[in-house]
Amino acid sequence: MQNNKKITLDEFYTHMASGDIVEAESPMGTMLHTLSQEALQITTELNNKYHTPEEIVEIFSKLTGKNVDKTFRLFPPFYTDCGKNITIGKNVFINAGCKFQDQGGITIGDGCLIGHNVIITTLNHIPQPSKRQSLIPKPVKIGKNVWMGAGVIILPGVTIGDSAIIGAGSIVVKDIPSNAVAVGNPCKVIKYIEENNEVKNV
């Protein structure tokens, strides 16, 4: 691949989904820089004056490059260094101060509630110092009706199952199953919630 090659969005999505390394000086690395600059422009508009809920849906659709459902709600400020690899379901609420590093892909299912200052990450660096500028993308997938408390941090490659609850301040380093209540650093399952509101301890 020549260094002057222009990367398309479809090529970007394919590469990120593959989990292949993104070298800093490669065309894909340049693409990440381009997308980050677009995201900075859009989030500056989003965060620095009042917008109606309907306007926020429109701005978030522009940010993600996808039609966001009219039921989506967000309290700014919101930050991302990409934007184009976020997929949002219906009836999703994102509270103020959240930060999404979405290059590797963030999928959020219907009915999710995301608390203040949640951070979702999808990139790792290569450990070797000589190669540390390169990136490894890993997607984060959040199921339907997940509730995340304030200050949660989700690390690359994590999947959270439907209807799980992640306690405030937790750092999620591995997959969390459906209907689990999980807390702590590292985040661990402490109990399960059944549909009839019964609680089963671990």
Side-chain angles (χ1 to χ4, degrees), residues 3-199:
N3 282 340
N4 61 356
K5 179 183 177 183
K6 186 177 176 67
I7 301 296
T8 66
L9 265 179
D10 284 342
E11 289 173 324
F12 162 73
Y13 290 131
T14 299
H15 189 106
M16 294 300 114
S18 74
D20 288 344
I21 292 170
V22 178
E23 295 180 1
E25 302 302 322
S26 68
M28 190 60 66
T30 300
M31 178 64 164
L32 295 192
H33 175 74
T34 298
L35 292 175
S36 72
Q37 296 309 299
E38 292 176 4
L40 285 172
Q41 289 181 320
I42 296 169
T43 53
T44 296
E45 165 67 17
L46 173 67
N47 294 334
N48 286 284
K49 69 177 184 179
Y50 172 75
H51 297 280
T52 66
E54 293 77 16
E55 289 170 338
I56 288 176
V57 168
E58 184 178 340
I59 293 169
F60 216 82
S61 296
K62 181 179 179 184
L63 177 66
T64 62
K66 307 173 183 75
N67 289 326
V68 175
D69 191 79
K70 64 182 180 180
T71 58
F72 173 71
R73 291 293 179 266
L74 175 140
F75 287 176
F78 173 83
Y79 304 96
T80 178
D81 47 8
C82 182
K84 290 297 187 287
N85 215 356
I86 301 172
T87 302
I88 300 280
K90 298 178 180 179
N91 294 301
V92 170
F93 172 68
I94 300 176
N95 219 324
C98 292
K99 301 174 182 178
F100 287 9
Q101 181 200 54
D102 65 283
Q103 288 92 331
I106 296 174
T107 303
I108 299 174
D110 296 346
C112 285
L113 303 173
I114 299 178
H116 290 92
N117 300 314
V118 168
I119 298 173
I120 302 177
T121 64
T122 66
L123 294 176
N124 275 321
H125 290 275
I126 293 176
Q128 291 86 348
S130 63
K131 300 180 179 179
R132 198 166 288 170
Q133 297 298 321
S134 297
L135 300 167
I136 306 169
K138 293 184 178 181
V140 168
K141 298 177 182 178
I142 300 169
K144 296 179 180 179
N145 300 311
V146 172
W147 172 20
M148 281 185 274
V152 168
I153 299 175
I154 301 179
L155 298 191
V158 165
T159 294
I160 298 176
D162 294 348
S163 302
I165 298 173
I166 310 298
S170 297
I171 300 181
V172 188
V173 301
K174 63 180 182 180
D175 294 354
I176 302 296
S178 297
N179 300 305
V181 178
V183 299
N185 176 16
C187 191
K188 296 180 180 179
V189 175
I190 59 170
K191 57 188 175 183
Y192 289 88
I193 297 176
E194 301 298 328
E195 189 61 37
N196 60 7
N197 292 325
E198 291 183 359
V199 175

